[in-house]
């Protein structure tokens, strides 16, 4: 800000200010900085990438993908925005493209938020075991956001009871019961609705979402991913000739011996394999010191569910945090210091969520 005070036209300072205010969850200020930078250099790749990140965090993946495509065409470093582009792909139902982007992003080193997004994307695709294995190191560090992602993955793959147990541990009192309808509905949703549900808490489509999806640029057919195994088509085996009686008896005796040896090998391997280390318990809710919830506050929050659209949505919809809030660092079902016992509102930001990034 000192650099901009001395020189309001400093392009690098404007871009850096936009990127930092995005990390501080100030979408309005970031929009203004990027708009000023775009007027100075309309073909700047970092500006386009920053606008794409701003748009995808506002729940507008189609338009965000256009910005990312412009950034790539202006020879921008894809690694700077590939994790956010992956989220945009997830939100339009392109899970395979999203997972490829997450793998590219993770080549530079593990990033907790990218790992969580990758695991959720695998869960949306129904690949439960792979999704949970991605989260395993974070769960053993008692990462609240990873436990929340695990609950969503369990619910998406049909284990609503397991998801409820995690929510019960991480939320105060009986407030986790409000999530039961949400967990039970997740497996019934399509891929796009699942992505919006776990990242934004929205289980119903909207006209705005459909309009934004039409803005996504054309996508070429996916090619084989470098470094990934290629599954070859199975070939038809030629018929095996029928054996004679003597050779048939010899073969049966040999098969029995082979089966005995194989069984002994399996028993030995089972005996020598160490059992997996069980996961720790989910982190328990810890309320802020010196603060107590009022009965009225609890009752107001408990009304309705995540899918409510009535006047109580601002309270009942607090169950699932936005993806942009995950970027800002509030990941748990119930972080300490939040006296309503829930994560944050899922209501869209005001001016920045329904308009193009403009000067603030």
């Amino acid at each position: 800000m000192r650099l901009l005070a001395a020189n309001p036209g400093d392009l690098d300072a404007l871009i850096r200010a936009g990127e930092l205010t995005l990390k501080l969850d100030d979408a309005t200020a970031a929009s203004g900085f990027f708009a000023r930078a775009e007027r100075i250099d309309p073909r700047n790749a970092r500006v386009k990438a920053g606008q794409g990140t701003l748009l995808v965090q506002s729940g507008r993946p189609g338009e965000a993908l256009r910005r990312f495509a412009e950034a790539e065409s202006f020879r921008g470093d894809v690694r700077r925005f590939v994790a956010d582009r992956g989220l945009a792909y997830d939100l339009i139902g392109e899970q395979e493209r999203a997972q490829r982007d997450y793998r590219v992003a993770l080549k530079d080193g593990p990033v907790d938020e990218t790992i969580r997004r990758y695991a959720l994307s695998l869960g949306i695709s129904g690949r439960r075991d792979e999704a949970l294995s991605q989260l395993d190191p974070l769960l053993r560090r008692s990462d609240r956001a990873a436990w929340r992602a695990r609950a969503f993955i369990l619910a998406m793959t049909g284990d609503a009871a397991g998801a409820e147990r995690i929510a019960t541990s991480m939320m105060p009192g009986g407030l986790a019961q409000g999530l039961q309808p949400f967990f039970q509905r997740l497996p019934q949703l399509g891929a796009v609705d699942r992505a919006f549900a776990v990242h934004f808490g929205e289980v119903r489509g909207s006209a705005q979402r459909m309009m934004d999806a039409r803005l996504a640029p054309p996508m070429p057919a996916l090619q084989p991913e470098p470094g990934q195994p290629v599954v070859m088509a199975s070939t038809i085996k030629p018929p095996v000739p029928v054996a004679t009686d003597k050779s048939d008896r010899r073969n049966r005796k040999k098969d029995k011996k082979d089966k005995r040896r194989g069984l002994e090998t399996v028993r030995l391997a089972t005996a020598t394999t160490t059992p997996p280390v069980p996961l720790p318990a989910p982190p328990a809710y810890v309320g802020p010191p010196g603060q107590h919830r009022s009965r009225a506050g609890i009752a107001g929050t408990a009304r309705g569910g995540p899918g409510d659209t009535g006047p109580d949505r601002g309270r009942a919809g607090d169950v699932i945090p936005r993806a942009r809030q995950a970027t800002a660092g509030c990941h748990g079902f119930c972080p300490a210091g939040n006296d309503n016992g829930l994560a944050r509102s899922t209501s869209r930001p005001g001016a920045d969520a329904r308009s193009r990034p403009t000067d603030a």
Side-chain angles (χ1 to χ4, degrees), residues 6 8 46 63 89 98 140 170 192 211 238 257 330:
R46 286 178 64 190
E63 195 171 355
Y89 280 137
R140 298 186 187 281
M170 296 175 64
V192 173
M211 291 172 59
K257 291 180 181 178
C330 180

Side-chain angles (χ1 to χ4, degrees), residues 50 52 59 88 96 107 113 146 155 157 175 177 186 195 236 253 258 360:
E96 179 59 32
K107 285 180 181 179
E113 177 63 17
T157 53
L175 291 178
Q177 295 177 357
L186 270 180
I236 300 175
K253 290 180 181 179
D258 291 342

